[in-house]
Amino acid sequence: MKLAHLPRTAVVARTALFTALSLACLSPALADQSATSPDLRASNMLKRMSLQDMHHMVQSYNDMMTLQQQPGGIGAAGYVPALPKLGIPAQQQNDAGIGVHNYPIDQGPGKQPAHVRGEAGNTTPLPSTLAIAATWNPQIAYEGGRMIAGEAHRQGINVLLAGGINLTREPRDGRTFEYLGEDPLLAARIDGGEIRGIQSQHVISTIKHYALNDQETNRTTVNANIGEQAMRESDLLAFELAIEDGHPGSVMCGYNKVNGVWDCSNRHLLTDILKGDWKYPGWVMTDWGGDHGVMDAMAGTDQVSGIDPVTGFSLGQTFSSFGAPLLQAIDKGEIPRSRLEDMVHRILRSMYAVGLFEHPPVNKPLDVEADALVAQHAAEQAIVLLKNEQDQLPLKSDIKTVAIIGGHADAGVLSGGGSAQVWPIGGPAIPAVKGPEWQWKVYDPSSPMKALQKLLPNAKIVYDDGSDPAKAAALAKSSDVALVFATQWTCEGIDQPNLSLDGKQDDLIDAVAAANTHTVVVLENGGPVKMPWLSKVNAVVEAWYPGARGGEAIAGVLAGKINPSGRLPVTFPQDEQQLPRPQVTKALDVDYNIEGAAVGYKWFDKKNLEPLFPFGFGLSYSHFDYSDLHVSTQGKRVTVSFQVSNAGKRAGMDTPQVYVSLPGDSGEAPRRLAGFEKVSLQPGQSRTVSVTIDPRLLATFDVPGHQWKIAAGSYPIQVGHSSRDLALKGEATVAAATVAP
Ligand code: BGC
């Protein structure tokens, strides 16, 4: 999206107007409270709507660029004006992958950008969505969603474009940080938590980008080729499970094509699968400019987003899909009126189900401290300790000298760019730098160095910016320990050219490690990176983009106040040659049949490739043992229970992972993640964990039979510390069965 140049005063005035309108709209809707089911209420409302009223609901205007022409709009990404005579509130639709997207306005060369909605940045960035997946804790995702939606609601926003779940097929995808990794079950459980948290605040969540929008290169034109069985068992399974868990009010169809058909024109994806097989009752909105004509309505799209309110054209297009053409098509009988009724029913139904009528946004001050703590707790559980030779970490409390090198670690922590960008409270830690298009490179104002100094008050901590490796090495040499902060900025719209850290960061780490054997690397990155220096450093801390209190979380892990408990939600390859596509596909056709459903670790297992770090991996300052495996089967349900014990000397959290293999070689890969649980244990404490496997994870998708099919046989079950460190082995005997698609 291109951004607006808007006066801030206009925004404040329009927010007040919007709040007044929402309240004024309330009474007729409340009169309908005798009908309690959202479907019944939507049907009752439909009876009172004219063709024009219904037509009004299926078009969402781009409010970012054209705020001044939008009375009632608040400068969010999308805006559907209220229908006051019917008591239908406006939809204010805003991005919120990491926090409430709060975009900057470029004030011209040499000046710092300002931003809309608020005076000094008014929303709290969580760690990146990938980092939330690294917590392996749906409750953390729930709390994050609740926090974001609470902030959104106070600003007049009632629809969040949050809930991205595209699988990491392409780790160089610039939006990897906005998604939830490579496994459908992990991604869905975390997304489900986030969606439930958002909707608990009477704000609709939008799961996106449906489907297979897995790279940014040619993002609006690329055609993802993949077989039906493979997509059902991978990307679509992630959506299916997350929708069941979270019940998002809306689904956003993506920009790309799948098997030759645009996502938002794709009847098979939208009508046959989403609304047919999965019985999804909510509405499908397009990505901004993702529509391709009026017949998208017949494919299953319910609302076109990002319409230019002046021309009525779809974003970036010179045509309108659901404007006049929709009324004409209904008039000519090409689209039945009942389809428009269905579109509006779905929209209203979600608005009722999530409580948009009874709970209009309220302009209340933020509890900045409470919200920052939500972000901090998430970061503390997201950080993954990848290496810790000689117990380098935690730093000893009597350490005398610490060198902190690079990554602006004296000032803040990095965040990702694009529509998920959050302009933090207090503004960026250092002047923001504009990316190639609308994106900004923003450091959240949470300094790891200052936070570490608080935890190690007697240590002398010195910062070097890392621009001169020789100077940094000299500082490292004279210090007890050297902490190098390495960063990788990623953003929407741009894929990474490769998996290397950019600039001369690898050389910097080499130089520092050569000068001091007690070198620790802290990574702030969007997705997997290569580590040519791995054998030369003692410790590696994966901090992702750690959000509003990332500095505190990193310092907590380094100093041992926090026992790290994150686990990788993505495989870290040794190099690009190990990937299904050694280079990002630049052609208009991307071939996902290469790996099919064997995404991420499944590909590595199938091809017997040794990754740099496997999926599910992460160390702790404690260690955990597994024992007493029991596997029981009742019909299609397999339950796996076992003991987890904290065999170390510190309290900590562990995430035992249950993997299942299909009989023979019927599965897409040797094993699938079938369950997990994050547990917190005191030293010496044990707990029994019990995981019931979703029958679809025992099945393959039977395309001709149009069902999930469980083969009779013996299913190897393993419980592990990661996908490659499998401690317990058992078996489930399962009878043949089927599951509805
Ligand atoms: C992105 C969506 C986003 C929308 C509105 C699009 O470019 O792909 O994820 O929700 O813009 O900002």
Side-chain angles (χ1 to χ4, degrees):
M1 300 264 335
K2 298 265 183 283
L3 298 172
H5 296 246
L6 304 168
R8 221 176 302 163
T9 43
V11 178
V12 174
R14 283 180 209 293
T15 308
L17 174 65
F18 159 71
T19 310
L21 272 179
S22 318
L23 293 174
C25 287
L26 205 60
S27 43
L30 285 179
D32 185 36
Q33 274 185 338
S34 55
T36 46
S37 108
D39 281 307
L40 197 55
R41 294 181 73 185
S43 302
N44 288 345
M45 179 61 85
L46 267 173
K47 289 184 197 143
R48 299 165 54 200
M49 295 176 86
S50 65
L51 186 68
Q52 283 66 31
D53 294 334
M54 289 193 288
H55 188 224
H56 172 99
M57 297 296 292
V58 300
Q59 301 183 81
S60 168
Y61 296 97
N62 187 11
D63 204 29
M64 276 194 188
M65 301 199 299
T66 52
L67 178 73
Q68 281 162 318
Q69 288 110 41
Q70 297 277 293
I74 59 167
Y79 173 53
V80 183
L83 278 177
K85 63 174 182 180
L86 294 168
I88 300 177
Q91 283 190 18
Q92 309 280 0
Q93 307 170 331
N94 203 74
D95 284 295
I98 313 296
V100 183
H101 174 58
N102 178 350
Y103 55 88
I105 302 166
D106 192 358
Q107 296 201 314
K111 293 198 179 151
Q112 269 303 288
H115 52 276
V116 296
R117 280 192 268 109
E119 283 309 309
N122 56 358
T123 60
T124 306
L126 286 173
S128 65
T129 320
L130 188 66
I132 302 292
T135 68
W136 289 60
N137 188 342
Q139 186 59 27
I140 287 280
Y142 177 90
E143 297 299 341
R146 197 166 67 111
M147 184 277 280
I148 294 176
E151 293 196 349
H153 205 237
R154 289 170 159 86
Q155 295 179 32
I157 295 159
N158 55 6
V159 179
L160 285 181
L161 312 173
I165 194 171
N166 296 90
L167 287 193
T168 310
R169 280 182 185 271
E170 175 45 81
R172 292 153 294 197
D173 179 349
R175 300 187 89 170
T176 298
F177 79 95
E178 286 188 55
Y179 302 139
L180 294 151
E182 65 195 24
D183 181 77
L185 177 69
L186 174 64
R189 293 271 314 274
I190 301 293
D191 213 24
E194 183 191 340
I195 295 165
R196 282 186 280 108
I198 290 172
Q199 297 198 157
S200 73
Q201 301 302 295
H202 310 295
V203 174
I204 287 172
S205 172
T206 307
I207 193 169
K208 66 186 188 183
H209 306 85
Y210 184 73
L212 290 133
N213 191 172
D214 296 346
Q215 67 171 51
E216 289 298 276
T217 304
N218 298 321
R219 71 172 178 154
T220 59
T221 45
V222 72
N223 176 31
N225 290 297
I226 184 164
E228 177 81 10
Q229 178 181 348
M231 74 174 170
R232 292 278 196 154
E233 293 174 6
S234 56
D235 295 59
L236 296 196
L237 182 59
F239 276 93
E240 181 179 1
L241 297 175
I243 289 171
E244 272 173 25
D245 182 353
H247 303 285
S250 178
V251 172
M252 185 187 290
C253 48
Y255 283 135
N256 54 297
K257 292 180 190 172
V258 171
N259 297 328
V261 185
W262 300 107
D263 271 1
C264 299
S265 317
N266 201 314
R267 193 181 165 86
H268 183 53
L269 286 179
L270 300 177
T271 299
D272 298 347
I273 297 177
L274 175 69
K275 295 177 178 179
D277 291 346
W278 304 346
K279 303 184 176 48
Y280 176 66
W283 91 93
V284 175
M285 67 164 78
T286 67
D287 199 341
W288 269 233
D291 53 308
H292 291 275
V294 67
M295 292 317 274
D296 286 358
M298 292 311 287
T301 290
D302 301 302
Q303 188 180 60
V304 168
S305 317
I307 299 168
D308 184 320
V310 178
T311 61
F313 292 160
S314 296
L315 184 72
Q317 316 279 14
T318 49
F319 62 83
S320 144
S321 289
F322 283 10
L326 182 59
L327 290 177
Q328 285 155 11
I330 291 173
D331 199 39
K332 286 194 220 147
E334 290 163 1
I335 293 182
R337 185 186 163 112
S338 58
R339 173 66 190 116
L340 178 63
E341 287 166 1
D342 175 49
M343 289 151 79
V344 178
H345 183 103
R346 288 170 171 279
I347 296 169
L348 288 170
R349 186 218 182 268
S350 290
M351 292 174 75
Y352 283 121
V354 180
L356 268 56
F357 284 78
E358 283 78 19
H359 303 275
V362 180
N363 196 351
K364 280 196 290 187
L366 295 185
D367 186 343
V368 173
E369 180 57 25
D371 290 358
L373 276 178
V374 172
Q376 181 172 337
H377 291 152
E380 288 170 352
Q381 290 202 27
I383 292 173
V384 185
L385 181 62
L386 290 176
K387 180 174 181 184
N388 196 19
E389 290 292 303
Q390 301 169 5
D391 290 332
Q392 177 66 61
L393 294 176
L395 299 172
K396 310 289 168 278
S397 54
D398 59 354
I399 192 164
K400 298 217 164 36
T401 50
V402 178
I404 292 196
I405 296 162
H408 299 287
D410 56 332
V413 288
L414 187 59
S415 66
S419 60
Q421 178 78 68
V422 176
W423 205 251
I425 291 171
I430 57 170
V433 178
K434 195 155 188 200
E437 291 180 45
W438 74 93
Q439 312 94 341
W440 294 90
K441 185 172 182 180
V442 167
Y443 281 81
D444 293 326
S446 168
S447 155
M449 177 167 162
K450 288 186 191 142
L452 190 62
Q453 187 71 76
K454 273 197 194 150
L455 297 178
L456 300 173
N458 300 322
K460 184 174 171 228
I461 304 186
V462 179
Y463 179 70
D464 179 280
D465 70 7
S467 54
D468 175 353
K471 196 166 140 271
L475 174 66
K477 199 170 185 128
S478 63
S479 308
D480 292 339
V481 66
L483 311 176
V484 187
F485 283 72
T487 58
Q488 175 211 38
W489 184 66
T490 60
C491 71
E492 178 181 343
I494 309 162
D495 289 332
Q496 294 293 296
N498 51 49
L499 295 174
S500 296
L501 289 169
D502 59 7
K504 299 227 176 304
Q505 297 187 85
D506 287 337
D507 296 344
L508 174 68
I509 297 169
D510 272 342
V512 171
N516 189 329
T517 49
H518 302 287
T519 292
V520 177
V521 174
V522 179
L523 292 163
E524 291 169 18
N525 47 337
V529 291
K530 290 194 287 190
M531 303 181 201
W533 32 259
L534 185 61
S535 63
K536 300 175 192 158
V537 303
N538 259 359
V540 180
V541 174
E542 172 54 80
W544 316 105
Y545 300 140
R549 286 279 174 84
E552 282 78 1
I554 292 171
V557 166
L558 294 173
K561 188 177 161 204
I562 301 298
N563 189 352
S565 64
R567 302 285 181 263
L568 292 181
V570 281
T571 304
F572 277 46
Q574 310 231 16
D575 61 48
E576 296 82 357
Q577 296 310 315
Q578 294 185 315
L579 295 171
R581 286 161 295 282
Q583 292 181 341
V584 177
T585 304
K586 296 208 170 59
L588 289 185
D589 276 282
V590 56
D591 186 5
Y592 291 146
N593 288 311
I594 296 174
E595 73 276 31
V599 179
Y601 65 94
K602 293 171 184 163
W603 169 260
F604 278 72
D605 289 348
K606 184 173 171 176
K607 295 284 169 186
N608 258 317
L609 296 164
E610 197 54 46
L612 190 61
F613 292 107
F615 174 80
F617 178 78
L619 302 171
S620 161
Y621 296 147
S622 199
H623 65 272
F624 300 89
D625 289 339
Y626 305 154
S627 61
D628 300 327
L629 177 67
H630 294 283
V631 180
S632 62
T633 309
Q634 255 200 327
K636 300 174 208 174
R637 302 238 160 230
V638 172
T639 300
V640 180
S641 56
F642 51 92
Q643 279 249 316
V644 190
S645 311
N646 184 346
K649 294 199 174 69
R650 284 170 172 260
M653 281 185 273
D654 183 40
T655 305
Q657 301 152 37
V658 176
Y659 291 88
V660 63
S661 307
L662 270 46
D665 48 6
S666 55
E668 72 275 306
R671 68 191 72 88
R672 300 168 169 179
L673 181 70
F676 60 91
E677 190 170 324
K678 191 157 191 170
V679 289
S680 182
L681 293 170
Q682 293 300 317
Q685 196 188 355
S686 299
R687 235 189 79 184
T688 301
V689 167
S690 182
V691 164
T692 299
I693 300 175
D694 186 295
R696 285 163 290 193
L697 292 167
L698 303 171
T700 50
F701 194 82
D702 163 21
V703 179
H706 195 63
Q707 60 190 349
W708 292 96
K709 205 168 173 178
I710 300 174
S714 168
Y715 288 66
I717 303 282
Q718 288 165 300
V719 178
H721 301 274
S722 78
S723 61
R724 285 289 171 105
D725 181 2
L726 302 160
L728 304 178
K729 294 188 178 23
E731 249 174 29
T733 305
V734 185
T738 58
V739 181

